[in-house]
Amino acid sequence: MDIDNILEKRKQLIDEQGGYTAVRERLLLSRVYFALGLRKDDGKGESIILSYKDSIENRMVLFDIYLPKGISILKIPANSVIEIKGNLMADALHRSNDIAKLWKHKYPNSKVYLLYGENSIVSETVLRKAKSLRLSDIYKVDKFISDVEKKKKLNDTIRQEEKTWKEKRKAILDSAQFSFREDNCTLFLGAGVSQDAGGPSWNTLLMKSVKRLRKPLTKVDFNRIYKACSMSPIIMGRYIVGNKKQKEILTKYLHDYVLYKDVDIKESKLISAICRMVSTRKIESIITYNYDDLIETALTQYNIEVASLFSKSRSLKEEIPVYHVHGLIPEKTPDVQSTPVLSEEEYHAIYSDSYHWSNVEQLHALDRNTCFFIGLSMADPNLRRLLDISHKDSDKEIRHFAFLKREKLYASDKKHEKNEVHFRIIENQLEDLGVNVIWYEDHKEIPLMLEEICAELKLVE
């Protein structure tokens, strides 16, 4: 083997490619290019452009990689660029920061990555100073590629988990559709239903109530009071309402300024979907925790006869009973109302009376019907107690369905596994109470799923 000949050819190759440093930089560029896993720019979707030139403030700049649309799975924003240095020295670092400043002025939401090889001689002090400027994201090439691979692996895991829970949801929706067709059904409705038409959330209702009777001036005041009440709505209710006179004042205030202000049921796709469910005549009863009668108004517009019930009474056979188990403040007949259940004292009165009409009606539905929980957090202690009683006395079949938003405990993808454990625990808890969880990510999904549940079955030929 002619060693001298090989060395000569190697020297010739390096010279032709622009020198040893240039060859090393091209090798590093190749590694980064393949790690990112994008195709060259074809005008469609996310892509990569190599050796990108641009003019900024009459200054020509050159980047090794340009990502016009970013890379979503790596959380790299659009118009991000990458500069690669085989050997990084202090003067090159300063020049790179100057260019990064210009680039980020043109594209404020972009990122500028400065990657360098292992044998760079820039000092740690200079590097720390450059990083503190937050102009460039500075990495060793190996560390950048390692992070990219970890993010890709994590993203694959997340996508697989999403596929898994969505596949499970499809199976649960199929089961819900079958139960809806075969069983008598009851709808349990919470604040989320009224919110879809512009009504207040529970927190908003409580905050407005505090302002009316206790008059704290800011949201900070409310948050401090709520925290002092252990973040419990029923303890907060007792804090707000001190006597019967205050209760009367609050009831009128809720009617006039809170429950029906800015509400438009015609704009609610969720309420429309619920009405279409009821119109199939498979719904035997409705149990609502809301003070308003929005659902009755909407059902009447669908020519469905309803009876608003807030005490121990019965509806006629042709009427759909709507049980207001926490009281009723109707929009158009304010003289026909019950005292809203708001405070801890009132909740305790219901808890302690096993034969209270609201407990009886809820247990009757839970024991005999398939129940759908819509717009509820499933955190109400009395509801969970009744579910527990019903499920323990049953054949242990999990035959109810609750729509819950898939709210993450942690926003960071690095906490993905903790989020998944959290979701599984919620599922297991509710299964122990006889309830299947139907997860969703956007409230707009619920009407579509309700339509699917009550859609007519189609025969496959």
Side-chain angles (χ1 to χ4, degrees), residues 187-191 193 274 286-290 295 372 374-376:
L187 302 180
F188 280 70
L189 308 181
V193 174
I274 290 171
I286 296 172
I287 292 172
T288 178
Y289 295 87
N290 300 329
I295 195 66
F372 294 90
I374 307 168
L376 287 158

Side-chain angles (χ1 to χ4, degrees), residues 190-443:
V193 174
S194 298
Q195 274 183 265
D196 196 69
S201 67
W202 254 108
N203 271 13
T204 299
L205 187 146
L206 287 172
M207 185 164 62
K208 288 181 178 293
S209 299
V210 172
K211 284 184 176 181
R212 177 63 184 86
L213 294 182
R214 299 299 181 191
K215 299 187 184 304
L217 299 178
T218 67
K219 188 174 181 179
V220 173
D221 295 323
F222 169 78
N223 290 335
R224 287 177 176 173
I225 294 170
Y226 200 22
K227 185 176 180 181
C229 292
S230 303
M231 308 294 284
S232 168
I234 59 176
I235 298 177
M236 185 72 166
R238 194 167 195 164
Y239 180 95
I240 296 168
V241 180
N243 54 53
K244 185 178 179 181
K245 181 62 177 176
Q246 287 182 326
K247 190 62 165 292
E248 291 173 356
I249 293 171
L250 180 60
T251 299
K252 188 176 187 309
Y253 172 72
L254 292 177
H255 175 272
D256 294 345
Y257 300 105
V258 180
L259 295 178
Y260 301 101
K261 184 177 174 60
D262 301 324
V263 166
D264 187 350
I265 57 175
K266 293 179 181 178
E267 292 297 316
S268 172
K269 292 183 179 179
L270 178 54
I271 289 179
S272 295
I274 290 171
C275 289
R276 284 192 286 276
M277 260 187 124
V278 177
S279 69
T280 64
R281 299 297 174 183
K282 294 298 299 177
I283 302 299
E284 186 179 89
S285 60
I286 296 172
I287 292 172
T288 178
Y289 295 87
N290 300 329
Y291 302 143
D292 62 71
D293 61 353
L294 296 180
I295 195 66
E296 290 99 310
T297 301
L299 288 170
T300 301
Q301 292 175 359
Y302 273 75
N303 296 317
I304 298 171
E305 294 187 54
V306 294
S308 298
L309 304 174
F310 49 85
S311 62
K312 190 175 182 180
S313 56
R314 290 284 179 266
S315 60
L316 301 175
K317 280 189 176 181
E318 62 273 17
E319 294 175 327
I320 300 291
V322 180
Y323 297 103
H324 287 263
V325 294
H326 285 171
L328 170 64
I329 306 174
E331 181 177 16
K332 295 182 179 177
T333 52
D335 55 319
V336 181
Q337 63 187 23
S338 71
T339 303
V341 177
L342 182 65
S343 75
E344 182 184 34
E345 182 181 11
E346 292 159 331
Y347 270 86
H348 289 170
I350 295 174
Y351 291 170
S352 61
D353 184 359
S354 301
Y355 298 100
H356 190 279
W357 72 269
S358 65
N359 291 331
V360 171
E361 295 298 347
Q362 288 178 82
L363 275 174
H364 176 89
L366 294 172
D367 288 344
R368 301 190 184 189
N369 295 349
T370 291
C371 299
F372 294 90
F373 300 89
I374 307 168
L376 287 158
S377 66
M378 304 304 290
D380 182 275
N382 196 39
L383 172 59
R384 293 175 73 93
R385 182 180 69 90
L386 295 173
L387 279 166
D388 205 16
I389 293 170
S390 175
H391 191 54
K392 284 179 179 177
D393 292 340
S394 71
D395 54 9
K396 297 297 183 181
E397 181 185 2
I398 303 172
R399 57 193 177 86
H400 305 311
F401 302 90
F403 294 88
L404 291 181
K405 188 173 184 183
R406 206 168 169 83
E407 299 273 15
K408 294 180 179 180
L409 286 178
Y410 304 95
S412 171
D413 287 341
K414 294 179 181 179
K415 303 288 187 179
H416 170 71
E417 184 55 38
K418 289 186 177 181
N419 285 327
E420 291 304 315
V421 169
H422 169 64
F423 295 137
R424 286 194 289 271
I425 289 173
I426 290 176
E427 288 176 355
N428 293 338
Q429 281 185 343
L430 287 172
E431 284 177 3
D432 287 343
L433 298 175
V435 180
N436 296 286
V437 175
I438 301 176
W439 292 113
Y440 64 89
E441 295 175 305
D442 190 311
H443 293 292

Side-chain angles (χ1 to χ4, degrees), residues 177 180-181 280 449-458:
Q177 185 185 38
F180 184 78
R181 288 291 156 191
T280 64
M449 291 189 285
L450 293 179
E451 298 280 6
E452 183 179 341
I453 288 169
C454 66
E456 291 188 17
L457 296 173
K458 294 181 180 179

Side-chain angles (χ1 to χ4, degrees), residues 40-306:
K40 289 186 179 180
D41 188 18
D42 58 2
K44 300 176 182 178
E46 295 176 345
S47 57
I48 190 168
I49 298 176
L50 302 177
S51 299
Y52 179 75
K53 293 181 181 179
D54 199 350
S55 177
I56 310 175
E57 297 182 7
N58 298 319
R59 180 175 177 179
M60 184 60 66
V61 296
L62 173 65
F63 295 103
D64 294 299
I65 292 174
Y66 174 47
L67 304 168
K69 295 185 179 179
I71 306 177
S72 58
I73 66 170
L74 300 178
K75 296 187 176 178
I76 296 177
N79 296 308
S80 292
V81 289
I82 300 174
E83 185 180 2
I84 301 172
K85 299 290 185 185
N87 288 316
L88 182 61
M89 291 181 283
D91 59 339
L93 183 57
H94 291 309
R95 283 196 301 273
S96 294
N97 273 330
D98 289 341
I99 293 171
K101 187 175 182 179
L102 291 172
W103 186 263
K104 289 180 75 67
H105 180 71
K106 183 176 181 180
Y107 300 109
N109 296 322
S110 68
K111 283 192 174 184
V112 178
Y113 294 90
L114 176 59
L115 312 183
Y116 62 95
E118 294 294 322
N119 297 321
S120 296
I121 58 175
V122 65
S123 72
E124 286 297 322
T125 302
V126 173
L127 266 178
R128 282 197 298 272
K129 176 64 175 175
K131 290 179 179 179
S132 70
L133 297 175
R134 298 181 182 274
L135 295 170
S136 301
D137 286 39
I138 305 171
Y139 290 90
K140 286 185 178 179
V141 169
D142 287 345
K143 179 67 167 62
F144 179 80
I145 291 173
S146 173
D147 285 354
V148 165
E149 295 301 330
K150 286 178 182 177
K151 287 178 181 177
K152 282 184 174 180
K153 185 176 180 181
L154 176 61
N155 189 263
D156 288 340
T157 302
I158 291 172
R159 282 190 293 189
Q160 185 58 43
E161 288 285 358
E162 287 178 350
K163 183 179 177 182
T164 300
W165 76 257
K166 286 181 179 178
E167 286 177 346
K168 183 178 179 181
R169 180 177 72 178
K170 181 65 174 72
I172 294 174
L173 284 171
D174 288 343
S175 175
Q177 185 185 38
F178 179 81
S179 296
F180 184 78
R181 288 291 156 191
E182 296 299 316
D183 302 335
N184 290 323
C185 300
T186 293
L187 302 180
F188 280 70
L189 308 181
V193 174
S194 298
Q195 274 183 265
D196 196 69
S201 67
W202 254 108
N203 271 13
T204 299
L205 187 146
L206 287 172
M207 185 164 62
K208 288 181 178 293
S209 299
V210 172
K211 284 184 176 181
R212 177 63 184 86
L213 294 182
R214 299 299 181 191
K215 299 187 184 304
L217 299 178
T218 67
K219 188 174 181 179
V220 173
D221 295 323
F222 169 78
N223 290 335
R224 287 177 176 173
I225 294 170
Y226 200 22
K227 185 176 180 181
C229 292
S230 303
M231 308 294 284
S232 168
I234 59 176
I235 298 177
M236 185 72 166
R238 194 167 195 164
Y239 180 95
I240 296 168
V241 180
N243 54 53
K244 185 178 179 181
K245 181 62 177 176
Q246 287 182 326
K247 190 62 165 292
E248 291 173 356
I249 293 171
L250 180 60
T251 299
K252 188 176 187 309
Y253 172 72
L254 292 177
H255 175 272
D256 294 345
Y257 300 105
V258 180
L259 295 178
Y260 301 101
K261 184 177 174 60
D262 301 324
V263 166
D264 187 350
I265 57 175
K266 293 179 181 178
E267 292 297 316
S268 172
K269 292 183 179 179
L270 178 54
I271 289 179
S272 295
I274 290 171
C275 289
R276 284 192 286 276
M277 260 187 124
V278 177
S279 69
T280 64
R281 299 297 174 183
K282 294 298 299 177
I283 302 299
E284 186 179 89
S285 60
I286 296 172
I287 292 172
T288 178
Y289 295 87
N290 300 329
Y291 302 143
D292 62 71
D293 61 353
L294 296 180
I295 195 66
E296 290 99 310
T297 301
L299 288 170
T300 301
Q301 292 175 359
Y302 273 75
N303 296 317
I304 298 171
E305 294 187 54
V306 294

